[in-house]
């Protein structure tokens, strides 16, 4: 069963790479989408912080 976890392939906290691994897409696509959300109203920053706190790390399994 797949679990949404932070990735070890991280640039900042591994949130975008973890989401990309879960959906089996390129992490750079998720990172670009996240930047777009941050620039369009700032909701991406709050979402990233919440995801970083809630998502478990991959090595905690």
């Amino acid at each position: 069963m797949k679990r949404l976890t932070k990735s070890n392939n991280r640039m900042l906290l591994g949130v975008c790479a973890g989401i990309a691994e879960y959906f089996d897409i390129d992490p750079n696509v998720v990172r670009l989408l996240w930047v777009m959300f941050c620039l369009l109203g700032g909701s991406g920053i709050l979402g990233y912080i919440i995801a970083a706190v809630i998502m478990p790390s991959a090595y905690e399994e």
Side-chain angles (χ1 to χ4, degrees):
M1 183 174 181
K2 268 182 150 177
R3 288 191 51 185
L4 181 60
T5 60
K6 294 180 196 172
S7 176
N8 293 328
N9 176 17
R10 56 181 67 194
M11 289 190 89
L12 190 59
L13 294 172
V15 173
C16 291
I19 292 170
E21 287 176 5
Y22 184 80
F23 290 110
D24 198 29
I25 57 175
D26 184 29
N28 292 323
V29 173
V30 177
R31 290 177 183 131
L32 287 173
L33 289 172
W34 212 287
V35 168
M36 286 177 34
F37 283 125
C38 289
L39 295 176
L40 299 173
S43 61
I45 297 169
L46 181 61
Y48 192 91
I49 292 169
I50 292 171
V53 171
I54 292 175
M55 286 174 63
S57 296
Y59 56 85
E60 290 180 359
E61 291 182 12

